[in-house]
Amino acid sequence: AVGLVEELRMVKSPAEIALIRASVELASRAFQQTLRLVRPGITELDLAAELDRRMRKLGAERPAFDTLVACGRRTALVHASPTSKKLSRNGLLLIDAGALRAGYCSDMTRTLYLGRPAAEVQRRYAAVLEAQLAAIAAVREGVTAASVDRAARRVLKAHGLEAAFVHACGHGLGLEIHEPPRLGKGQQTR
């Protein structure tokens, strides 16, 4: 019976979708509130703790996973735990967070820049956004999870960034933070 329950849980009822949406909206509100604190000198740990506190204050049972905050070169690490490193001007900031609300998880990753980004940073950001939009546009009934991932990879390859895409394009949400389908290479789930 390995995987049977997980396969059944891929299909969400309207009520489950509403609960996931509420969790997403809660995490988004907490993120917006926490943005006011983003400035050079605050530590990754302090920013993560504040985001967690705000999610709980808005009604989250707890974070859906350990909140990730990374600045500078550490933003390239897929699962970077926050450290005592201070945010600096003219640097990237990665925040990956989610809330558990009414038993359902949310997950959002946001990239920010403190200061005025150089042309190369703007180019890469635009390429990632284009890849994300291409993946979203590829989502429709009957397509494979791999084809959604492939749509994003195609865009990044066109921008010379394919080697930097070391992760899957996405994953399902629900009672667990990572649920099928996994939107990645070779994933044939429709």
Side-chain angles (χ1 to χ4, degrees):
V2 174
L4 178 62
V5 171
E6 291 79 4
E7 187 175 332
L8 293 171
R9 283 187 15 209
M10 277 195 296
V11 178
K12 307 294 193 241
S13 70
E16 288 178 299
I17 293 169
L19 289 169
I20 293 168
R21 183 170 281 119
S23 178
V24 169
E25 289 169 356
L26 183 152
S28 294
R29 280 194 310 276
F31 174 77
Q32 287 298 323
Q33 292 175 7
T34 305
L35 273 180
R36 296 179 210 141
L37 302 174
V38 173
R39 65 185 181 285
I42 191 171
T43 68
E44 296 171 346
L45 281 168
D46 287 341
L47 196 57
E50 184 60 25
L51 182 52
D52 289 350
R53 186 185 76 77
R54 289 178 186 259
M55 284 190 289
R56 285 182 187 267
K57 196 164 176 145
L58 290 168
E61 294 148 38
R62 61 176 172 78
F65 54 93
D66 290 340
T67 298
L68 309 176
V69 175
C71 61
R73 293 191 173 274
R74 297 184 68 252
T75 60
L77 303 173
V78 177
H79 294 117
S81 293
T83 68
S84 58
K85 181 175 171 62
K86 292 181 179 180
L87 278 56
S88 61
R89 187 171 311 285
N90 296 320
L92 286 166
L93 173 64
L94 178 79
I95 299 175
D96 189 0
L100 180 71
R101 183 176 183 279
Y104 283 84
C105 297
S106 58
D107 184 2
M108 66 173 192
T109 304
R110 299 290 181 264
T111 304
L112 308 162
Y113 195 86
L114 279 69
R116 188 173 195 87
E120 181 60 18
V121 172
Q122 290 180 31
R123 184 188 76 78
R124 289 179 181 201
Y125 186 93
V128 171
L129 177 59
E130 183 183 339
Q132 179 188 32
L133 295 174
I136 291 168
V139 174
R140 60 187 172 283
E141 189 174 343
V143 302
T144 64
S147 67
V148 174
D149 184 78
R150 195 168 33 255
R153 289 179 191 281
R154 214 175 282 129
V155 170
L156 292 174
K157 185 175 183 177
H159 288 279
L161 297 172
E162 70 274 13
F165 191 12
V166 297
H167 204 274
C169 192
H171 57 83
L173 289 169
L175 298 172
E176 303 285 336
I177 191 60
H178 294 118
E179 289 194 0
R182 182 175 181 274
L183 303 176
K185 285 182 178 179
Q187 299 295 314
Q188 294 308 307
T189 304
R190 294 198 177 276

